[in-house]
Amino acid sequence: MTNKLIPFYPLAMLISMTLKCGGFSIKKLPLYFLFILRYILLEPFRLLEILLYHKKIEKQQLDQGPIFILGHWRSGTSHLQNLLNKDPNSTTTSLYGLLLADNSMLTEFWLKPILNFSLKILNVNYTLQRTQMDLNIVGELDSGLCSSSSFYGYTWAHIFPRRFREIMDHLVFDIEPDVSQYWLNDLDFQIKKLSYRNKNRQVIVKSPGDTARVRLLLQKYPKAKFIYIDRDPYEVFRSTQYLWSVIQKQNSFQIISKDDIDQAIIETYKKLILAYRDQKDLVPTNQLIEISMTDLQRSPLECLKLVYGRLELGPLPINELKEYLDNIETHTPIEHSLSSEQKELLKREWDFAFEDSPRDSL
C-alpha cells in the first residue's frame, strides 16, 4: 500500500505500463487522454478512500469462499454471472466497480447516478452486450485490478495488445511464484472490498483468465466454489472475434491486425482450456461443476438447480430468477461466417475442444 499513497501513483503506473508495452497508436490519443483525465480528476477520492477504508478492508473476513466462474471469454460467463447475482446473498463486480475500483467506496453513491443519467440521455450503448449502457451491469474483476493501479491484471493484455502474448504468459499461463503472490494479494483485496461493501455476501468472481489459474485460487481459497461453462468452439471463436473488435475500438491503446487477433484467440483458447483440464481434478467434487451454455439458455432454472445442489449454495432464488428471466432481452445472434479454411484450422488447433467434454447433464 505504501506506493499507492504516493499522489498520482495510478497515473505514474499508467505511463510506466505505456512505456513498457510499446506506447500507444496515434489514433488512440483521445482515449489515452480520457484515462489520464480520469486519474487526475479522481485522485483526491482515491487517496481519501485509502486513508478511510484500506485497513478496514484488509481486516475483512470472508464468511464463505468466493464463487469463481470459469470458461473462455464469450462462453456464457457473463450470462451466468448475471443469473447468480440475482441471489440476495451474493454480490459481484459492476461496470462502475471495475472502472473506478480505486475510489468506488466514496464515489459510487453519488457519481454513479449522475453518470447513468448522462449515459441514458446520450443513449449510449454497451456494445459488448448490445444493450443500453448501465454502470450496474456486471463486469470482470480482473479489469478492476488494472483501474486500481495493479500491475497484475491480465486485462493489460487487451489494453496493450502488441504485448498480448507476453502479458498473458506472465500473468496467466507461466506465472512465477512471486508474481502469483502479488496478483493474489491484489485479487484478495478486491474480493474483500466487495464483501465489506456488501455486508459479507458471498462474492462471485468472473475473470476468464482464472480458468488457467485454478491451482493458485484453490491454494488461496480452499473453500472456493468453481463453475466451469463451455460453449460450441466455433461460436466461441466467432464471438471472441466480435469481442476483440469492440475492445479495439473502445478499450485498447494499440491497434493490431485481424490476423494477429485471430492468432491470439486460437493460442489463448488452447492454453486456457488445456490448463483448466490439467488442474480441475485438484478441486473437491462438491466444489466444482461443469455446465454448458446450451443447457443454461435452454433450461436456466433446471441448470441452476443442478449448480446450487452440487455446490451447496442454499435455496435457489426462484422468484428473483424468474423475474429477471421474464424481463431479459433476447438478442438475435450476430451472424459471423467462418470459411472452410477457418473451420479446418480450428478443428486442427482445437481438436480437443470438439470432443465431448464431461459435464453434469440435466
Side-chain angles (χ1 to χ4, degrees):
M1 185 188 79
T2 306
N3 288 341
K4 293 187 178 182
L5 277 172
I6 299 172
F8 298 104
Y9 174 79
L11 183 58
M13 180 214 61
L14 176 63
I15 294 171
S16 173
M17 287 293 296
T18 305
L19 295 173
K20 185 186 302 183
C21 295
F24 55 83
S25 301
I26 193 64
K27 290 183 179 180
K28 294 296 185 174
L29 182 58
L31 177 64
Y32 195 76
F33 177 75
L34 283 177
F35 270 68
I36 290 175
L37 193 63
R38 170 254 196 262
Y39 282 129
I40 291 174
L41 294 178
L42 295 174
E43 177 64 3
F45 298 102
R46 183 189 74 86
L47 291 172
L48 185 57
E49 179 168 305
I50 290 175
L51 294 173
L52 292 177
Y53 292 107
H54 193 93
K55 289 184 179 179
K56 294 178 181 178
I57 293 171
E58 280 191 328
K59 293 178 181 177
Q60 176 72 4
Q61 298 295 315
L62 300 177
D63 291 343
Q64 306 170 80
I67 299 172
F68 291 96
I69 296 174
L70 309 176
H72 191 275
W73 293 262
R74 312 301 284 183
S75 292
T77 55
S78 293
H79 182 46
L80 176 58
Q81 183 184 16
N82 272 311
L83 290 167
L84 294 174
N85 195 43
K86 298 309 162 189
D87 191 325
N89 297 311
S90 65
T91 186
T92 196
T93 315
S94 67
L95 279 183
Y96 188 92
L98 73 85
L99 291 171
L100 290 93
D102 56 352
N103 59 69
S104 59
M105 294 289 295
L106 290 180
T107 62
E108 185 167 7
F109 75 95
W110 62 272
L111 183 56
K112 185 171 73 174
I114 294 173
L115 293 177
N116 267 338
F117 178 77
S118 302
L119 293 168
K120 187 173 183 179
I121 292 297
L122 296 172
N123 196 30
V124 177
N125 290 322
Y126 184 45
T127 316
L128 284 179
Q129 295 186 16
R130 291 179 292 145
T131 186
Q132 172 74 41
M133 175 62 85
D134 184 335
L135 294 175
N136 292 303
I137 291 173
V138 297
E140 290 184 23
L141 190 145
D142 184 86
S143 300
L145 294 184
C146 295
S147 64
S148 63
S149 62
S150 168
F151 285 100
Y152 304 99
Y154 64 75
T155 300
W156 289 117
H158 285 121
I159 297 174
F160 296 104
R162 292 177 194 160
R163 299 290 187 272
F164 182 84
R165 182 184 290 107
E166 296 150 69
I167 294 173
M168 291 298 290
D169 283 345
H170 178 59
L171 296 176
V172 177
F173 301 122
D174 298 312
I175 186 167
E176 297 291 336
D178 57 336
V179 174
S180 68
Q181 192 56 57
Y182 286 124
W183 161 63
L184 285 169
N185 288 342
D186 288 349
L187 172 71
D188 190 55
F189 184 83
Q190 293 302 319
I191 289 175
K192 285 181 175 179
K193 185 174 181 178
L194 280 168
S195 175
Y196 176 83
R197 183 172 178 79
N198 294 280
K199 300 178 181 178
N200 298 312
R201 293 177 187 171
Q202 189 166 25
V203 177
I204 302 163
V205 179
K206 193 275 303 250
S207 296
D210 288 343
T211 308
R213 303 185 289 195
V214 171
R215 179 184 291 105
L216 295 171
L217 292 171
L218 195 60
Q219 290 171 358
K220 180 69 175 179
Y221 305 103
K223 295 182 180 180
K225 313 285 187 176
F226 299 89
I227 308 172
Y228 174 79
I229 182 168
D230 69 5
R231 186 182 181 189
D232 175 78
Y234 289 142
E235 291 297 322
V236 170
F237 183 76
R238 290 190 288 256
S239 192
T240 308
Q241 284 181 316
Y242 172 73
L243 169 68
W244 265 100
S245 71
V246 175
I247 289 173
Q248 281 277 277
K249 289 178 182 177
Q250 300 179 0
N251 306 102
S252 296
F253 292 151
Q254 299 167 341
I255 299 172
I256 60 174
S257 71
K258 185 179 182 301
D259 286 343
D260 286 340
I261 289 172
D262 287 353
Q263 189 59 37
I265 296 170
I266 290 169
E267 290 181 3
T268 302
Y269 181 91
K270 188 173 184 177
K271 288 181 177 180
L272 195 79
I273 305 307
L274 290 179
Y276 165 73
R277 293 188 180 185
D278 184 56
Q279 299 173 46
K280 67 176 186 176
D281 289 340
L282 298 172
V283 186
T285 305
N286 66 340
Q287 291 178 230
L288 169 67
I289 188 169
E290 297 179 332
I291 62 174
S292 73
M293 178 62 164
T294 301
D295 286 343
L296 190 62
Q297 288 180 316
R298 184 180 57 205
S299 307
L301 293 179
E302 288 76 7
C303 191
L304 288 171
K305 283 178 184 177
L306 197 66
V307 170
Y308 267 64
R310 166 65 66 82
L311 302 183
E312 301 172 350
L313 298 179
L316 189 70
I318 297 289
N319 293 334
E320 290 85 350
L321 287 168
K322 283 183 176 178
E323 181 179 356
Y324 172 73
L325 291 167
D326 287 342
N327 290 291
I328 194 173
E329 291 184 41
T330 301
H331 297 296
T332 302
I334 298 175
E335 290 296 328
H336 301 280
S337 59
L338 287 179
S339 66
S340 58
E341 290 80 7
Q342 285 177 313
K343 288 184 177 180
E344 289 176 9
L345 175 62
L346 294 181
K347 272 282 190 179
R348 184 170 65 251
E349 294 289 338
W350 295 356
D351 56 337
F352 61 91
F354 289 92
E355 302 167 359
D356 290 332
S357 58
R359 70 172 70 95
D360 292 80
S361 57
L362 297 179

